[in-house]
Amino acid sequence: MAIKTCKENGHKYDSSEHNQCPYCPDKTEVMDKQSVPQDGSGSNDEKTEVISALSEDKTAIHKPAEDDSSTESTGSTGRKLVGWLVSFTWNSEGQDYQLREGKTLLGADNTCDIVIGDSEVSGHNTTILNRGGKFRIKDEFSTNGTIIDGHEIEDQTDLKDGSTITLGKTDFLFRKI
């Protein structure tokens, strides 16, 4: 056994088993790359890379092939972007939140679509609904209520472009597309 020290990073390795440092990432090689069907059917629609290296002491790095079959992006939720909420309460440069088709739940709970870090906001505080191009807002029995343009709402209310929504100590400006 002949112990050698790597010149690049000072790693110790057995030079009788390795020609070069097996720990340095710039020595990584990918050999004999093949594509095979995932389901074993012989179809090449979905492929997995099989990498067989000649030596077990080398690291194989591979990336899945990018699927460029979809050219249209609708965001990570798959729902159309229909509006924004913008707040300058906690960040003087502004913080924006996207509103998408359907329901958007606002509150302090991590399960909400828009999580608000305000101690006076309830877990599930408010729901904004977009249906047929119209916006409605509803308080979800929150402790401190939902205030639109200075007036606390009790029932579902139409939300108009440019309205100010106040939840706890946080003010939002509502904009629709």
Side-chain angles (χ1 to χ4, degrees), residues 123-156:
H124 293 174
N125 200 102
T126 304
T127 299
I128 296 176
L129 173 67
N130 173 265
R131 187 178 348 175
K134 294 185 179 184
F135 284 89
R136 302 211 24 102
I137 188 165
K138 176 184 170 194
D139 184 72
E140 298 294 343
F141 298 106
S142 64
T143 303
N144 292 317
T146 299
I147 299 169
I148 307 297
D149 295 326
H151 304 286
E152 186 171 355
I153 62 169
E154 294 183 20
D155 296 321
Q156 257 190 38

Side-chain angles (χ1 to χ4, degrees), residues 17-19 22 29 31-32 52-60:
E17 292 183 21
H18 307 283
N19 293 333
E29 294 179 30
M31 307 178 83
D32 298 335
S52 58
L54 296 176
S55 176
E56 292 178 10
D57 64 339
K58 296 188 179 182
T59 304

Side-chain angles (χ1 to χ4, degrees), residues 105-115 123-124:
L105 181 61
L106 292 81
D109 193 86
N110 286 336
T111 61
C112 291
D113 299 305
I114 297 176
V115 179
H124 293 174

Side-chain angles (χ1 to χ4, degrees), residues 48-165:
T48 301
E49 288 183 311
V50 176
I51 300 173
S52 58
L54 296 176
S55 176
E56 292 178 10
D57 64 339
K58 296 188 179 182
T59 304
I61 300 173
H62 63 85
K63 295 180 184 176
E66 291 185 20
D67 179 22
D68 45 62
S69 61
S70 73
T71 56
E72 188 177 321
S73 176
T74 57
S76 60
T77 64
R79 298 186 297 161
K80 182 180 174 184
L81 180 66
V82 292
W84 277 280
L85 293 177
V86 180
S87 176
F88 294 92
T89 304
W90 306 109
N91 181 347
S92 62
E93 294 178 7
Q95 175 68 45
D96 68 312
Y97 303 91
Q98 296 180 352
L99 296 175
R100 298 198 173 266
E101 278 182 320
K103 291 181 182 178
T104 302
L105 181 61
L106 292 81
D109 193 86
N110 286 336
T111 61
C112 291
D113 299 305
I114 297 176
V115 179
I116 303 165
D118 180 339
S119 62
E120 293 189 17
V121 171
S122 297
H124 293 174
N125 200 102
T126 304
T127 299
I128 296 176
L129 173 67
N130 173 265
R131 187 178 348 175
K134 294 185 179 184
F135 284 89
R136 302 211 24 102
I137 188 165
K138 176 184 170 194
D139 184 72
E140 298 294 343
F141 298 106
S142 64
T143 303
N144 292 317
T146 299
I147 299 169
I148 307 297
D149 295 326
H151 304 286
E152 186 171 355
I153 62 169
E154 294 183 20
D155 296 321
Q156 257 190 38
T157 304
D158 287 330
L159 193 54
K160 294 174 181 48
D161 189 37
S163 292
T164 300
I165 302 168

